[in-house]
Amino acid sequence: DTEVTQTPKHLVMGMTNKKSLKCEQHMGHRAMYWYKQKAKKPPELMFVYSYEKLSINESVPSRFSPECPNSSLLNLHLHALQPEDSALYLCASSQGLAGGRAKNIQYFGAGTRLSVL
Amino acid sequence: SQQGEEDPQALSIQEGENATMNCSYKTSINNLQWYRQNSGRGLVHLILIRSNEREKHSGRLRVTLDTSKKSSSLLITASRAADTASYFCATDPPAAGNKLTFGGGTRVLVKP
């Protein structure tokens, strides 16, 4: 099973709402990622979890709050977002450093299309 | 920040033709990967080439790597309409942890 599952597929929220994006993988991967992608642009890294600990935060605003409840799950909690936060949010996973440098192949979910009104 | 730049930004070809796209990067790397993204979907890993390799093949894909020029190319031979997608190179610099840095991408349109 090489699948990363993201829910929901689409989300529309107001600027005062609180919502969460969810990501799940059952490949035994120990590194998980959140990316933000605008149209016709490459994915921009937001957060990296390695062995369930936050290892990289790319100076993301605090209105985005990641959580890794266990090695298979990754959440992104959203609060007080701005219209410019509308984007495709992608989750990915990889074996992590224990798999060796050459094993940093990332498996992506299909994404959550987020619209902030 | 974006490590790689891709060229061209967009490419339109007829089915059966070859498609070539290039990626340049700035720092030393452990390896370089290519990913494909169909419209509005997640990225799919295509191929990984290590810094000590010069060329690698996978089916209709051929990747080259020139570390002296800090550049890579991806060739898709005998393209099909299903190859229509955006293609991204991604680099894995030393001491970057698990981080990949993606290039700007090349949008490829294969016309039937």
Side-chain angles (χ1 to χ4, degrees):
Chain A
D1 181 6
T2 57
E3 193 170 287
V4 175
T5 304
Q6 288 189 244
T7 55
K9 291 189 181 345
H10 302 275
L11 180 61
V12 179
M13 59 187 291
M15 289 189 284
T16 58
N17 291 158
K18 287 185 181 180
K19 296 286 184 183
S20 296
L21 310 185
K22 297 186 183 300
C23 175
E24 189 168 2
Q25 58 88 15
H26 295 287
M27 295 178 276
H29 288 173
R30 303 313 300 268
M32 296 186 76
Y33 311 79
W34 280 114
Y35 289 89
K36 174 183 177 181
Q37 187 179 28
K38 292 281 207 179
K40 297 185 179 180
K41 296 292 186 182
E44 294 177 32
L45 183 66
M46 299 175 72
F47 304 103
V48 180
Y49 273 83
S50 180
Y51 291 85
E52 299 155 54
K53 289 187 173 13
L54 183 65
S55 60
I56 297 177
N57 176 343
E58 292 285 89
S59 303
V60 179
S62 60
R63 57 186 185 267
F64 296 91
S65 175
E67 178 195 18
C68 188
N70 60 55
S71 59
S72 299
L73 293 174
L74 186 66
N75 298 322
L76 186 63
H77 303 297
L78 314 173
H79 175 53
L81 294 194
Q82 303 297 310
E84 59 265 29
D85 297 322
S86 298
L88 181 68
Y89 287 83
L90 294 165
C91 173
S93 70
S94 70
Q95 286 187 8
L97 289 177
R101 297 300 308 176
K103 294 298 184 183
N104 191 13
I105 292 171
Q106 296 187 11
Y107 295 81
F108 284 79
T112 294
R113 176 74 59 189
L114 175 67
S115 297
V116 182
L117 304 179
Chain B
S1 63
Q2 205 164 300
Q3 151 97 299
E5 298 295 329
E6 293 187 54
D7 166 54
Q9 290 187 346
L11 181 59
S12 180
I13 56 173
Q14 293 293 137
E15 210 165 22
E17 293 180 341
N18 295 342
T20 300
M21 58 211 85
N22 304 297
C23 167
S24 60
Y25 56 92
K26 296 173 185 165
T27 68
S28 61
I29 60 171
N30 291 311
N31 58 62
L32 185 144
Q33 303 179 46
W34 286 90
Y35 287 80
R36 183 188 75 229
Q37 184 178 33
N38 291 91
S39 180
R41 304 285 293 174
L43 281 73
V44 175
H45 172 79
L46 294 176
I47 195 166
L48 178 151
I49 186 165
R50 301 185 190 199
S51 58
N52 61 355
E53 296 176 313
R54 291 297 166 258
E55 187 169 315
K56 200 162 184 179
H57 297 254
S58 177
R60 294 184 295 111
L61 306 179
R62 181 172 83 98
V63 170
T64 63
L65 180 64
D66 187 335
T67 52
S68 66
K69 294 181 180 177
K70 292 187 169 57
S71 68
S72 174
S73 68
L74 171 66
L75 167 67
I76 305 172
T77 59
S79 62
R80 305 167 181 168
D83 295 326
T84 293
S86 291
Y87 293 82
F88 296 94
C89 66
T91 53
D92 179 11
N98 291 314
K99 185 175 173 177
L100 287 181
T101 305
F102 287 88
T106 294
R107 295 189 306 280
V108 175
L109 172 64
V110 182
K111 294 179 280 187

